[in-house]
């Protein structure tokens, strides 16, 4: 039996999870929530993480009913993400690894999401839509490798939603995306917004600047409600995502879709993807907010796979990085998990 | 010598094309067409590259008739209008209809698949010599056609004159 | 009887040979006015809002025929359009007989034992030339892949002809940014479909650069777009 503890803190969530051979023993998390109209700044986020990380660590061990000596390996997010929060989380992971005398493992955040999605859903060979505040990618298997087929050519879909929320001052509690989703359920009028798909890539900056410019005018003139805007924005953004996912599936002949990342727990996105899958005779795999949103268990799970394949990160190499080239992360990933992924 | 072809989209309909040279009563024919006593389209063959061009125009006319989207008042005027690269109706008649001094004419009739008499009746009204429809290419005036359809020399490198003409006819609604 | 939506096209297609089921369109082989033809049917996508779906489907059919004509006028081969039914969003066009996709051609050439490098390099150069010509006409294809370029095999001694297809995502733009993204889309599709073709793609870009008068601004944008993908912060 192999037990791995994972530390995730690349953005405004701090999460620590423990995995024992595919079983999630604990996965507590805290979110740094800013007032409406504000995004989260790196230094404030890091301060939040520093304040709660030891409490979360204690919760993780208590809920799992484990002591430090039961842990085999300590995994942490090495990137991509925001510098200061990454540093904070890595520092604690490094410290406990030394205190407990356990090997350390730096994990790619993207791989954490994909690994966790596969573990929970048992998807076999999926086309992955990875959608979060910082990422929008369609990753699929082709010519014996996982490759990034489509992605945003400017901002991420979650970033677009968050910034829209700031424009019309939607609450960040529990998350702007969640509140947009709830408001969208009450929207009915469809407002046409720019729709930009280029091959298997998407662009969201045009729609954001359009809505930033027009939102207040449309709302004050009574042309539509805030709920209508949430509804129309979701309909437009998610149609673009489903379209490029389907295009990637058609391109590689894939029959499975796995949605991961924070935006992936949006039920409307899942519903639209489901309709597309049904029409193609394909199968949709999605998870809920426990595993879609950044969490510690996903880092533990990716760490578990890496640890089992014999990797560890030496202390002097236990750096973090704000940027990881997407292509790189997939190749890296594939090299080590060739067997697991067929 | 006439050519009867089916419209795959409208399997009960046939299109019959009949070509005449040495026509002496063009003015009379044109008058009958205006009055509606000839139920057929009278086309100036010098503007035709190939019978396929007529078929493309006829198919589109029948489609628009069935969907209530005709731009002109009858199926036959619609065929003439569809041959034109522009959306100007009187221009289309001037270029693709016949004029009193013409000595050749292509008669196009759309009819039921079981109908054989109608094309013959119309043909009987022509004082001229019937020739095979395929001979239309010997009557066509490529220079005039290229000018009217604005066909560039480089376009002819990637296809035939017929390709260029048909492509313009089919896409003119959204240009 | 007059109907707003003619059933003629759906009825014909129900008996036609389906040759490709794509993400948004079905492609059929039919006889049309006695000629071998292809029908591209854009069907409704039920996952999207009906208003959005209607707009996108119609817009794409219109864009497709416009770009085809614009390309052909410039001497770039693209299928001849025979008939468009905007009520069912179907385009009837010429079937490109005796052709294969560049995708299949590259794959089979790479698999064949004999060294065919030169053949592929020539092909890459010709693709670069055609795309340069298309961009000089301000046509942005929008979905460049090796599946969307056909190779029409010529007679024994004649060089085969490249035919561009699938203009559904195309639009008209003179902006180097749009042309750069067009090439970026192709680059990713090319390299992800055909392993170990980086050098071959460079040949394509080089020939594009030499053939287009406006290439330097486009290539500069291409470099920028590539960097954007890597430099973007990936928080969350």
């Amino acid at each position: 039996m192999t037990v791995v503890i994972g530390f995730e803190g690349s953005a405004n969530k701090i999460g620590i999870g423990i995995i024992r051979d595919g079983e999630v023993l604990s996965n507590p998390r805290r979110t740094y929530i800013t007032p409406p109209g504000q995004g989260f700044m790196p230094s404030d986020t890091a301060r939040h993480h520093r304040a709660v990380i030891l409490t979360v660590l204690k919760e993780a061990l208590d809920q799992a009913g484990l002591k430090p000596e039961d842990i085999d390996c300590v995994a942490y997010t090495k990137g991509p993400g925001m510098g200061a929060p990454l540093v904070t989380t890595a520092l604690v992971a490094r410290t406990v690894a030394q205190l407990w005398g356990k090997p350390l493992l730096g994990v790619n955040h993207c791989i954490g999401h994909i690994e966790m999605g596969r573990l929970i859903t048992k998807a076999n060979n999926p086309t992955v839509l990875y959608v979060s505040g910082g990422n929008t990618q369609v990753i699929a298997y082709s010519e014996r490798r996982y490759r990034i087929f489509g992605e945003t050519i400017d901002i991420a879909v979650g970033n677009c939603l968050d910034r829209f929320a700031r424009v019309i001052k939607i609450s960040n509690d529990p998350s702007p995306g969640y509140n947009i989703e709830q408001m969208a359920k009450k929207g009915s009028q469809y407002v046409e917004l720019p729709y930009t798909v280029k091959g298997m890539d998407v662009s969201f900056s045009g729609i954001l600047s359009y809505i930033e410019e027009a939102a207040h005018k449309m709302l004050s003139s009574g042309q539509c409600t805030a709920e209508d805007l949430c509804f129309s924005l979701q309909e437009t953004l998610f149609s673009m995502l489903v379209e490029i996912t389907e295009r990637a599936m058609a391109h590689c002949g894939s029959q499975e879709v796995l949605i991961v990342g924070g935006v992936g727990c949006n039920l409307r996105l899942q519903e639209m993807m489901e309709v597309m899958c049904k029409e193609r005779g394909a199968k949709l795999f999605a998870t809920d907010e426990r595993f879609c949103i950044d969490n510690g268990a996903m880092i533990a799970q990716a760490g578990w796979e890496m640890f089992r394949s014999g990797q560890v990160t030496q202390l002097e190499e236990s750096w973090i990085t704000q940027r990881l080239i997407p292509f790189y992360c997939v190749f890296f990933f594939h090299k080590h998990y060739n067997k697991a992924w067929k | 010598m006439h050519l009867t072809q089916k419209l795959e989209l409208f399997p009960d309909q046939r299109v019959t094309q009949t070509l005449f040279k040495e026509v002496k009563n063009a003015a009379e024919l044109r008058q009958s067409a205006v009055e509606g006593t000839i139920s057929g389209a009278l086309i100036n063959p010098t503007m035709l590259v190939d019978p396929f061009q007529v078929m493309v125009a006829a198919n589109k006319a029948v489609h628009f008739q069935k969907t209530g989207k005709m731009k002109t008042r009858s199926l036959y005027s619609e065929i003439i209008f569809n041959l034109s690269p522009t959306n100007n109706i009187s221009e289309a008649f001037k270029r693709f209809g016949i004029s009193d001094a013409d000595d050749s004419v292509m008669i196009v009739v759309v009819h039921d698949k079981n109908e054989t008499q109608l094309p013959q009746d119309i043909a009987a009204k022509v004082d001229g010599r019937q020739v095979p429809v395929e001979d239309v290419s010997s009557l066509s005036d490529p220079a005039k056609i290229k000018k009217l359809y604005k066909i560039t020399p480089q376009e002819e490198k990637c296809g035939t004159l017929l390709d260029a003409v048909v492509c313009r006819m089919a896409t003119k609604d959204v240009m | 009887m007059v109907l707003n939506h003619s059933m003629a096209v759906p009825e014909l297609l129900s008996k036609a040979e389906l040759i490709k089921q794509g993400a948004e369109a079905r492609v059929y082989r039919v006889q049309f006015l006695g000629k071998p033809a292809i029908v591209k049917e854009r069907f409704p996508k039920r996952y999207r809002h009906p208003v959005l779906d209607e707009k996108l489907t119609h817009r794409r059919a219109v864009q497709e025929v416009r770009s085809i004509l614009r390309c052909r006028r410039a001497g770039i081969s693209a299928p001849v359009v025979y008939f468009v039914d905007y009520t069912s969003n179907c385009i009837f066009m010429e079937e490109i007989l005796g052709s294969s996709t560049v995708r299949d051609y590259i794959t089979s050439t790479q698999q064949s034992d004999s060294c065919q490098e030169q053949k592929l390099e020539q092909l890459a150069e010709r693709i670069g030339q055609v795309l340069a010509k298309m961009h000089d006409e301000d046509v942005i294809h929008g979905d460049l892949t090796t599946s969307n370029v056909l190779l029409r095999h010529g007679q024994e001694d004649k060089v085969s002809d490249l035919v561009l297809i699938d203009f559904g995502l195309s639009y008209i733009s003179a902006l180097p940014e749009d042309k750069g993204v067009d090439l970026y889309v192709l680059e990713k599709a090319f390299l992800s479909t055909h392993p170990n073709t980086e050098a071959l793609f460079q040949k394509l870009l080089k020939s594009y650069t030499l053939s287009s008068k406006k290439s330097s601004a486009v290539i500069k944008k291409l470099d920028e777009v590539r960097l954007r993908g890597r430099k973007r912060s990936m928080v969350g």
Side-chain angles (χ1 to χ4, degrees), chain A residues 132-135 143 151-154 190 192 195 198-199 201 239 243 246-247 251 272 279 323-324, chain C residues 23-24 45-48 52 55 60 103 142 169 171 181 184 188 193 228 231-232 234-236:
Chain A
S132 65
N135 288 278
E143 306 282 342
E151 61 184 322
T152 174
I153 57 166
D154 38 59
Y190 175 76
E192 201 190 351
Y195 186 100
K198 296 171 190 241
D201 290 339
S239 290
E243 179 175 341
E246 184 172 23
R247 198 161 285 144
H251 192 83
M272 288 165 75
E279 284 185 355
R323 291 173 181 127
L324 276 180
Chain C
E24 273 141 82
K45 302 300 291 180
R46 275 194 295 241
Y47 65 79
R48 31 184 198 229
L52 174 62
K55 281 214 160 95
R60 288 174 179 179
R103 178 182 176 159
L169 296 181
Y171 56 99
V181 171
Y184 177 67
K188 289 206 313 170
T193 316
R228 236 179 267 164
K231 278 199 171 167
R232 185 178 27 213
M234 291 188 290
V235 181

Side-chain angles (χ1 to χ4, degrees), chain B residues 80-81 84-95 172:
Chain B
I80 293 174
F81 174 68
S84 168
T86 72
N87 287 309
N88 182 327
I89 296 174
S90 59
E91 169 86 7
F93 277 91
K94 213 168 97 194
R95 303 288 176 198
K172 77 167 176 178

